[in-house]
């Protein structure tokens, strides 16, 4: 979940957990039996031979997946060299691999790893070359967070799809499978072979500050089906999918990046609500599962985060659910895993709990030496390390990294961001936009009656799936559909002066489209919308993140849920506004009344059409 910079998903109404769970109870059911164990492992003789030749230091390195700055494995920019020296003690990715023999590297946009597809392919090849040329060199498992929607590390010209909650609104397993297949093929072409997706959390808490639209929804049965479909798509394209965040992060009001959440579900409720998507992922043959940095007292009363909990990771995930694939931690730099123990203890305790990959520790040298010392002093056995390394080696072998670790530019050109792939993403998005309000049949908006459209509203920080601010993208899409649309960014907290400017502009337009972003009771976004409505111009709101905004906007004549402000979802919303596409999305989460959060305003499955 190490999605630094994605912003808060905190929401509008603050209903009780009981209310939201009750709203989903009628449409959910537990998956009665745990999923079967992973398929029998292939012949491990070659992998055991590799293990037998590795030094203890090399084995320790294979357990780590680390960040590194730079667009090149050997000649990054000077600023990236400086950042690497400061944070890791090496200059380049090649030096990182040589010094610590890390088994994996994770790409981030902010680490300047993902400028464009060809550069990414070159970086991947450079990392593989640096590792394979070492004595007893092994291929590196390169990973990233490409969830789509609001979390995407690889941007355009790669194909960007709607995020999970939008896919949940579409409700199509075929679309989820297609998303995984295409996205997986593009990642593989760039040398990225492990994707930390899909999110398997069931988001039943509208106030969840970190999951929100990253979840498929609030119905565990629907979430399970879509998780399994995406897993099949990704892994059918040769990329390891990762179900996250076990044992479930969907009912928190604390962000584990900055705090230590507690899940208060009973064991029975966990079985019904949180467990089913992970069982479905295991039944689908999921290659890896990511842990959550949160406490679940009903599953482990020690007060430890799940990442460090042997009862949860070994007792439940390994033994009860029969999972024998790779278990990777969420980022070890997050506060949720650092609250109780120091950075030197966390990696050791995670391995003792049953983890295989240690992701992105804040201080690699400290963590690496802590694991090495724990083995030398007998707290961890070398056999324990071997068990995890063997799982990782099996995964690398299954992905073909021993046979074909490199990628070619021809593959990038043939695969990444093709016209067919982008068209598929648009078609999927067009099935996700959800129409919640349409008084007087305002939508579809008539070009004859309302030729001049003002697009105003929030322009939050852009994820990789955007080519510009949401108001500009939405206005541009409406212009392409025959309107004369202008954009005015008012931000997520418009001032009185900004609101006055927007109101003046609205009086010169025939209709207004307002992009809203997590509207709260006291938000000046609500004041903006109310004053736009008071001009007498028809106002259609587009919720560009959480769909709960509609509960705070009773004055608008129309309201759509787009579930994200990425280009693909804004283009789809424009198509619906213009009547080129009928709205087909259905709410995958319930929306509560703003004035009485105990009451459901719009239930799961609600959505209008025309």
């Amino acid at each position: 979940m190490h999605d630094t910079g994605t912003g808060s998903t905190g929401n509008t109404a603050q209903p009780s957990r009981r209310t939201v769970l009750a709203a989903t109870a009628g449409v959910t059911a537990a998956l009665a039996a745990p999923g079967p164990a992973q398929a029998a492992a292939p012949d491990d003789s070659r992998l055991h031979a590799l293990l037998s030749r590795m030094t203890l230091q090399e084995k320790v390195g294979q357990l780590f997946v680390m960040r590194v700055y730079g667009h090149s494995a050997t000649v990054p920019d000077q600023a990236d060299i400086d950042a690497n020296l400061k944070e890791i003690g090496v200059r380049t990715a090649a030096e990182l691999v040589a010094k610590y023999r890390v088994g994996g590297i994770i790409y981030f946009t902010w680490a300047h790893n993902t400028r464009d597809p060809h550069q990414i392919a070159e970086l991947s090849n450079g990392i593989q070359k640096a590792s394979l040329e070492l004595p007893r060199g092994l291929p590196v498992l390169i990973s990233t967070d490409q969830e789509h929607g609001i979390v995407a590390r690889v941007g355009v010209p790669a194909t960007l799809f709607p995020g999970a909650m939008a896919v949940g609104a579409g409700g199509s397993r075929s679309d989820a499978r297609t998303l995984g297949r295409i996205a997986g093929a593009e990642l593989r072409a760039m040398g990225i072979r492990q994707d930390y997706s899909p999110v398997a959390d069931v988001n039943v808490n509208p106030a969840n500050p970190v999951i929100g639209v990253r979840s498929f929804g609030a119905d565990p049965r629907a979430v399970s089906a879509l998780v399994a479909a995406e897993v099949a798509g990704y892994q059918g394209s040769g990329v390891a999918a990762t179900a996250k965040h076990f044992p479930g992060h969907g009912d928190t009001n604390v962000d584990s990046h900055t705090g230590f959440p507690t899940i208060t579900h009973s064991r029975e409720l966990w079985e019904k609500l949180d467990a089913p998507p992970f069982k479905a992922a295991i039944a689908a043959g999921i290659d890896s599962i990511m842990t959550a940095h949160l406490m679940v007292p009903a599953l482990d009363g020690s007060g430890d985060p799940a990442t460090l909990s042997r009862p949860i990771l070994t007792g439940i995930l390994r033994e009860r659910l029969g999972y024998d694939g790779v278990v990777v931690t969420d980022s070890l730099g997050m506060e949720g895993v650092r609250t109780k123990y120091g950075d030197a203890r966390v990696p050791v305790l995670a391995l003792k709990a049953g983890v295989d990959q240690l992701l992105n520790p804040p201080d690699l040298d400290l963590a690496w030496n802590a694991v090495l010392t724990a083995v030398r002093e007998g707290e961890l056995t070398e056999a324990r390390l071997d068990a995890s390394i063997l799982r990782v080696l099996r995964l690398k072998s299954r992905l073909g990294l021993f046979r074909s670790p490199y990628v070619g530019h021809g593959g990038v050109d043939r695969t990444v961001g093709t016209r067919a792939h982008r068209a598929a993403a648009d078609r999927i998005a067009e099935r996700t936009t959800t129409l919640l309000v349409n008084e007087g049949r305002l939508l579809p908006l008539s070009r004859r009656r309302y030729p001049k459209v003002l697009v105003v509203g929030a322009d939050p920080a852009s994820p990789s799936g955007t080519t510009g601010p949401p108001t500009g993208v939405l206005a541009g899409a409406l212009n392409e559909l025959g309107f004369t649309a202008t954009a005015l960014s008012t931000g997520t907290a418009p001032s009185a002066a900004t609101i006055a400017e927007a109101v003046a502009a609205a009086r010169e337009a025939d209709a207004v489209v307002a992009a809203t972003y997590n509207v709260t009771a006291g938000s000046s976004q609500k004041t903006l919308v109310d004053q736009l409505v008071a001009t007498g111009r028809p106002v259609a709101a587009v919720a560009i993140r959480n769909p709960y905004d509609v509960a705070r906007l009773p004055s608008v004549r129309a309201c759509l849920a787009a579930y994200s402000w990425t280009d693909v979802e804004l283009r789809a919303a424009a198509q619906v506004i213009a009547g080129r596409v009928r709205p087909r999305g259905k709410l995958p989460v319930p929306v509560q009344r703003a004035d009485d959060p105990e009451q459901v305003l719009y239930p799961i499955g609600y959505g209008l059409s025309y």
Side-chain angles (χ1 to χ4, degrees):
M1 192 189 316
H2 30 282
D3 40 317
T4 309
T6 60
S8 171
T9 59
N11 166 45
T12 70
Q14 303 269 334
S16 69
R17 180 180 296 106
R18 181 181 67 257
T19 302
V20 183
L21 297 181
T24 67
V27 290
T28 62
L31 299 185
Q38 296 286 93
D43 179 13
D44 286 341
S45 58
R46 180 167 176 261
L47 302 182
H48 281 291
L50 288 174
L51 261 176
S52 69
R53 293 193 294 270
M54 293 169 65
T55 67
L56 176 58
Q57 290 85 349
E58 290 167 354
K59 289 181 179 181
V60 171
Q62 283 298 301
L63 301 169
F64 285 94
V65 180
M66 189 59 184
R67 70 190 180 280
V68 65
Y69 290 87
H71 69 285
S72 165
T74 54
V75 286
D77 296 338
Q78 185 60 49
D80 293 321
I81 292 173
D82 294 342
N84 284 329
L85 286 170
K86 179 180 179 180
E87 294 186 19
I88 315 172
V90 298
R91 293 166 52 86
T92 66
E95 289 184 12
L96 168 66
V97 170
K99 181 175 181 179
Y100 291 104
R101 304 299 287 263
V102 292
I105 286 179
I106 178 173
Y107 288 169
F108 287 110
T109 309
W110 51 260
H112 310 140
N113 304 139
T114 57
R115 291 181 176 177
D116 65 75
H118 285 284
Q119 168 268 318
I120 296 169
E122 286 285 357
L123 174 60
S124 300
N125 285 343
I127 289 169
Q128 299 294 5
K129 183 174 185 290
S131 183
L132 291 167
E133 288 184 347
L134 295 169
R136 299 171 301 281
L138 296 171
V140 175
L141 185 54
I142 296 171
S143 61
T144 197
D145 289 286
Q146 192 76 352
E147 296 176 13
H148 296 272
I150 67 170
V151 178
R153 307 306 184 201
V154 181
V156 290
T159 304
L160 280 303
F161 285 88
M165 191 170 285
V167 174
S172 168
R173 284 176 287 181
S174 176
D175 283 351
R177 191 177 301 109
T178 297
L179 184 160
R181 175 179 58 80
I182 293 175
E186 295 198 6
L187 290 174
R188 178 173 178 164
M190 293 178 278
I192 300 170
R193 303 302 297 276
Q194 184 178 24
D195 188 16
Y196 298 133
S197 186
V199 172
D201 304 316
V202 181
N203 198 84
V204 296
N205 190 338
N208 194 321
V210 67
I211 303 301
V213 294
R214 297 168 61 199
S215 163
F216 289 109
D219 175 0
R221 178 176 287 177
V223 172
S224 298
L226 295 172
V227 164
E230 266 196 28
V231 168
Y234 277 113
Q235 295 188 178
S237 289
V239 168
T242 308
K244 62 186 185 185
H245 309 81
F246 189 83
H249 210 309
D251 190 12
T252 63
N253 55 15
V254 174
D255 184 345
S256 52
H257 291 89
T258 57
F260 184 25
T262 298
I263 300 287
T264 59
H265 294 176
S266 66
R267 179 64 176 258
E268 180 183 17
L269 181 56
W270 178 82
E271 293 280 1
K272 292 180 178 180
L273 185 70
D274 302 291
F278 293 101
K279 293 178 182 179
I282 294 169
I286 188 79
D287 280 328
S288 53
I289 291 178
M290 179 178 284
T291 67
H293 302 326
L294 47 75
M295 178 171 51
V296 189
L299 305 183
D300 179 0
S302 69
D304 286 345
T307 297
L308 310 182
S309 169
R310 185 170 179 83
I312 292 175
L313 298 187
T314 296
I316 296 176
L317 182 57
R318 295 284 192 210
E319 296 173 356
R320 186 172 177 278
L321 301 187
Y323 179 66
D324 194 36
V326 170
V327 174
V328 56
T329 71
D330 206 340
S331 171
L332 297 183
M334 293 166 58
E335 189 62 28
V337 78
R338 304 173 75 188
T339 299
K340 189 173 180 182
Y341 301 100
D343 290 336
R345 292 298 298 155
V346 165
V348 175
L349 294 174
L351 290 169
K352 293 175 74 171
V355 157
D356 301 307
Q357 289 184 306
L358 301 162
L359 178 62
N360 200 27
D363 185 333
L364 177 60
D365 192 70
L366 178 69
W368 189 90
N369 278 293
V371 174
L372 185 66
T373 299
V375 177
R376 286 175 171 167
E377 294 182 352
E379 184 178 6
L380 287 170
T381 66
E382 195 163 348
R384 168 66 193 88
L385 267 58
D386 289 352
S388 283
I389 296 166
L390 186 59
R391 289 191 188 98
V392 175
L393 292 178
R394 283 175 183 156
L395 179 53
K396 292 180 180 181
S397 177
R398 190 159 61 248
L399 295 173
L401 283 169
F402 289 100
R403 298 189 310 274
S404 183
Y406 299 108
V407 294
H409 289 290
V412 173
D413 290 332
R414 288 190 301 272
T415 308
V416 180
T418 66
R419 181 178 298 178
H421 286 180
R422 296 196 310 271
D426 281 329
R427 287 194 300 271
I428 291 172
E430 289 165 4
R431 292 189 278 269
T432 68
T433 307
T434 306
L435 179 61
L436 299 172
V437 176
N438 195 21
E439 293 181 2
R441 298 180 65 85
L442 174 65
L443 300 183
L445 206 62
S446 167
R447 283 183 295 165
R448 290 182 181 179
R449 188 173 181 184
Y450 306 111
K452 293 174 60 178
V453 178
L454 173 67
V455 180
V456 302
D459 279 327
S462 297
S464 294
T466 61
T467 56
T471 52
V473 172
L474 193 51
L478 289 171
N479 282 325
E480 291 179 4
L481 294 169
F483 292 90
T484 301
T486 57
L488 175 62
S489 174
T490 52
T492 57
S495 66
T498 299
I499 292 172
E501 180 185 4
V503 167
R507 292 195 175 102
E508 302 300 317
D510 299 308
V512 179
V513 174
T516 64
Y517 181 97
N518 295 358
V519 179
T520 59
S523 170
S524 56
Q525 289 184 68
K526 176 174 167 49
T527 304
L528 167 67
V529 171
D530 288 343
Q531 292 194 22
L532 290 170
V533 170
T535 66
R537 301 300 188 269
V539 176
V542 181
I544 61 172
R545 193 157 186 163
N546 290 331
Y548 313 108
D549 288 4
V550 64
R552 298 284 182 190
L553 304 173
S555 62
V556 298
R557 284 182 56 187
C559 188
L560 294 165
Y563 305 101
S564 178
W565 63 102
T566 54
D567 287 10
V568 68
E569 286 157 300
L570 294 175
R571 286 195 303 267
Q575 293 275 350
V576 169
I577 290 169
R580 298 294 182 89
V581 170
R582 291 180 181 273
R584 284 185 274 177
K586 305 297 182 183
L587 277 176
V589 294
V591 174
Q592 284 70 42
R593 294 177 60 94
D595 57 351
D596 184 4
E598 295 295 322
Q599 301 297 317
V600 173
L601 182 63
Y602 299 112
I604 291 176
Y606 181 86
L608 303 174
S609 190
Y610 33 71

